[in-house]
Each structure stands twice: as structure tokens, then as C-alpha cells.
């Protein structure tokens, strides 16, 4: 499923995400499944981009700084990653309401 991204680390991470989303219904799983592959890819991309410099400083005036292409890519990839995670979290939250119900019950104890 992961294709050329398949390493032990990425395969294990993908497996972990599949286990997390197993409680979703089949219709939601069909929508979320492609995102899992993308999340694993973006995690690897972010890891490699972290190694590169994100700011370029002017040699004579260190206060002048410019973002590097790697910095721009990191920012864009991180935003896409966050959006993908939000979609999955939202699907999981809407599926598993037991935690929300339990929280509401606990909050009722504090009502005056």
C-alpha cells in the first residue's frame, strides 16, 4: 500500500494509524484510508526538511533574514499534515462519542 515509501518505520507507522481508525465505519474508512498514506509520507518529508536550514541570514546584517525554499516547503507540508490529521480526528471524534458522554456526566457533578 505504501509503495516506495515502504520502510520498517513507515510501515509500522501506517499500521499504527490503521489500528487507530479501525473503529470507523466502512464508509468513513474509505474516505480516510488515502489520508493515512499521505500522513505517513508527510511525516517522512517533515523529518527530512527539519534537517535543512529554514532561514538565510545576510552576512553583513544578521537582522536581515529570509526564509529558504526548505523553510517554505516545511511550512506548507506542516499545514497539509495538520489538515489531514484534523480530518481523521474529526472522523474519530464523531464515531466515538463515549468519551464525550463520559465527560458530560462528570461535568454534571459540578453543576450548582
Amino acid at each position: 500500500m505504501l509503495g516506495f515509501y515502504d520502510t520498517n518505520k513507515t510501515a509500522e507507522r501506517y499500521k499504527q494509524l490503521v489500528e487507530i481508525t479501525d473503529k470507523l465505519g466502512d464508509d468513513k474508512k474509505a474516505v480516510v484510508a488515502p489520508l493515512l498514506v499521505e500522513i505517513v509520507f508527510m511525516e517522512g518529508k517533515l523529518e527530512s526538511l527539519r534537517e535543512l536550514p529554514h532561514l538565510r541570514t545576510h552576512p553583513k546584517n544578521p537582522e536581515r533574514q529570509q526564509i529558504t525554499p526548505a523553510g517554505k516547503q516545511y511550512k506548507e507540508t506542516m499545514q497539509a499534515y495538520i489538515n489531514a490529521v484534523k480530518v481523521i480526528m474529526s472522523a474519530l471524534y464523531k464515531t466515538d462519542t463515549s468519551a464525550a458522554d463520559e465527560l458530560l456526566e462528570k461535568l454534571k457533578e459540578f453543576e450548582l
Side-chain angles (χ1 to χ4, degrees):
M1 179 87 182
L2 296 176
F4 64 92
Y5 308 115
D6 193 15
T7 64
N8 287 338
K9 184 178 176 182
T10 57
E12 187 62 34
R13 178 64 174 148
Y14 178 76
K15 190 172 146 184
Q16 182 184 34
L17 292 173
V18 168
E19 288 173 7
I20 291 170
T21 58
D22 267 348
K23 61 179 124 183
L24 294 174
D26 289 338
D27 54 338
K28 287 184 182 180
K29 271 188 195 178
V31 173
V32 169
L35 282 178
L36 301 180
V37 175
E38 294 303 318
I39 285 174
V40 172
F41 170 75
M42 286 186 278
E43 286 174 348
K45 187 75 169 167
L46 288 168
E47 193 174 308
S48 65
L49 287 170
R50 243 182 259 124
E51 305 291 324
L52 302 173
H54 291 215
L55 285 176
R56 187 176 312 136
T57 306
H58 192 278
K60 293 183 182 175
N61 185 0
E63 293 175 2
R64 284 184 62 193
Q65 298 176 348
Q66 185 178 21
I67 192 164
T68 65
K72 288 178 184 177
Q73 278 187 332
Y74 184 86
K75 179 183 173 187
E76 291 170 6
T77 305
M78 179 57 85
Q79 188 60 53
Y81 176 78
I82 289 168
N83 290 338
V85 169
K86 281 181 182 179
V87 168
I88 291 173
M89 293 301 292
S90 141
L92 288 170
Y93 175 73
K94 289 177 182 170
T95 299
D96 185 17
T97 58
S98 62
D101 293 340
E102 185 179 325
L103 178 62
L104 290 173
E105 289 299 317
K106 291 289 183 190
L107 289 174
K108 284 181 184 178
E109 293 175 11
F110 294 103
E111 286 183 14
L112 298 176

